[in-house]
Amino acid sequence: MILRQFLHSDPVAASYLFGCGGKSAAAVVDPVGDIAPYLRVAEATGMRILYVVDTHIHADHISAGRTLAAASGAEYTLFEGTEAGFPFRRAKDGEVVELGNVTMTVMHTPGHTPEHISLLVTDRTRAAEPWFVLTGHTLMVGDLGRTELATSAEDGARTLFSSVRRLKQLPDHVEVLPGAYSGSVCGRSLSGKPTSTIGFEKRFNKAFRIDDEDAFVATMIADIPPPPPEAARNRAANAGHAAASA
């Protein structure tokens, strides 16, 4: 297993390159900004980037996903239900994507956005059980992603509650690798530590640990952080429905 985490400060976000070193097969998830660092790491580790995945249509920044996919020859991948103005590889809920001895299983985890996915990753050279989950802006360390991009905040929170219940079914040892950390506008009480585990978050994440749906909704719709000023424009550009801002 090769795993590299890229932490960004403007915007505050986390990206990942991972895959099977033995089979030279990698994926990049939620790339931000200059694509050169991803290409350099792939070259240095002898990896071929086969897939570039965005966990959702981002609103806080312009995704580098399509640019990186074009430069690396990878397949640009989004959830199959995503409404986009360009062709992309349509990932299905429950689909297992092979990266040599590493697999990523697609989990549809809507709530932050309707098309949001998480990726459950297993290294079969070590165990048949999953090792970590890339959670995008659904589950982050210390909190969950805001829900105002759904039809309504309450509907989004109820949808997110179902996604949270699904993530809670993962074994406690599974590591959580989120798409953002402290300083991001996509959550409220985010930690500056950009990794955790399902078990730790079930115990100490004040939103993730709530088991009652109504209490969860009340928590999630209280004090929702405002969206970035360019949120609507960024989301439209990332979906291929408008030009990106200069």
Side-chain angles (χ1 to χ4, degrees), residues 79-146:
F79 179 62
E80 63 176 345
T82 304
E83 296 182 4
F86 48 79
F88 60 92
R89 185 183 185 280
R90 295 179 178 272
K92 301 179 183 296
D93 183 47
E95 177 185 3
V96 179
V97 180
E98 303 277 343
L99 294 167
N101 293 313
V102 172
T103 64
M104 58 179 180
T105 300
V106 178
M107 300 176 64
H108 185 210
T109 51
H112 176 63
T113 67
E115 75 287 339
H116 198 292
I117 58 174
S118 299
L119 299 170
L120 187 61
V121 179
T122 300
D123 181 356
R124 292 179 297 196
T125 65
R126 297 202 64 196
E129 294 186 26
W131 192 348
F132 59 86
V133 59
L134 298 160
T135 51
H137 292 174
T138 293
L139 169 60
M140 293 178 282
V141 182
D143 205 352
L144 303 170
R146 66 175 191 271

Side-chain angles (χ1 to χ4, degrees), residues 58-74:
H58 296 275
D60 59 329
H61 64 269
I62 298 299
S63 168
R66 284 185 285 161
T67 302
L68 178 59
S72 63

Side-chain angles (χ1 to χ4, degrees), residues 221-245:
I221 65 176
D223 301 321
I224 299 173
E230 299 294 318
R233 185 178 300 177
N234 288 344
R235 187 167 167 81
N238 286 331
H241 299 315
S245 301

Side-chain angles (χ1 to χ4, degrees), residues 1-224:
M1 165 76 78
I2 299 292
L3 171 65
R4 299 290 186 271
Q5 184 183 55
F6 302 80
L7 299 180
H8 312 279
S9 59
D10 185 20
V12 176
S15 309
Y16 301 89
L17 181 150
F18 70 95
C20 175
K23 301 294 184 180
S24 302
V28 173
V29 177
D30 289 337
V32 177
D34 184 4
I35 66 171
Y38 308 103
L39 296 173
R40 284 198 299 267
V41 169
E43 182 179 9
T45 55
M47 306 282 270
R48 292 175 296 116
I49 302 173
L50 303 182
Y51 305 98
V52 175
V53 184
D54 268 322
T55 55
H56 60 293
I57 300 296
H58 296 275
D60 59 329
H61 64 269
I62 298 299
S63 168
R66 284 185 285 161
T67 302
L68 178 59
S72 63
E75 293 187 82
Y76 182 59
T77 302
L78 295 164
F79 179 62
E80 63 176 345
T82 304
E83 296 182 4
F86 48 79
F88 60 92
R89 185 183 185 280
R90 295 179 178 272
K92 301 179 183 296
D93 183 47
E95 177 185 3
V96 179
V97 180
E98 303 277 343
L99 294 167
N101 293 313
V102 172
T103 64
M104 58 179 180
T105 300
V106 178
M107 300 176 64
H108 185 210
T109 51
H112 176 63
T113 67
E115 75 287 339
H116 198 292
I117 58 174
S118 299
L119 299 170
L120 187 61
V121 179
T122 300
D123 181 356
R124 292 179 297 196
T125 65
R126 297 202 64 196
E129 294 186 26
W131 192 348
F132 59 86
V133 59
L134 298 160
T135 51
H137 292 174
T138 293
L139 169 60
M140 293 178 282
V141 182
D143 205 352
L144 303 170
R146 66 175 191 271
T147 63
E148 91 285 347
L149 291 177
T151 305
S152 72
E154 181 173 346
D155 288 346
R158 293 195 183 279
T159 301
L160 183 61
F161 182 74
S162 296
S163 296
V164 163
R165 285 194 300 184
R166 190 176 187 190
L167 289 169
K168 283 182 177 179
Q169 294 173 0
L170 299 178
D172 282 1
H173 71 263
V174 171
E175 297 174 17
V176 174
L177 303 183
Y181 58 100
S182 178
S184 170
V185 297
C186 292
R188 297 166 295 186
S189 302
L190 304 184
S191 173
K193 180 179 182 297
T195 63
S196 186
T197 65
I198 291 292
F200 196 89
E201 294 308 300
K202 284 198 296 189
R203 291 185 63 188
F204 301 111
N205 183 317
K206 65 182 182 181
F208 190 62
R209 70 188 182 189
I210 299 173
D211 291 324
D212 178 80
E213 183 172 354
D214 288 337
F216 178 88
V217 171
T219 296
M220 291 306 300
I221 65 176
D223 301 321
I224 299 173

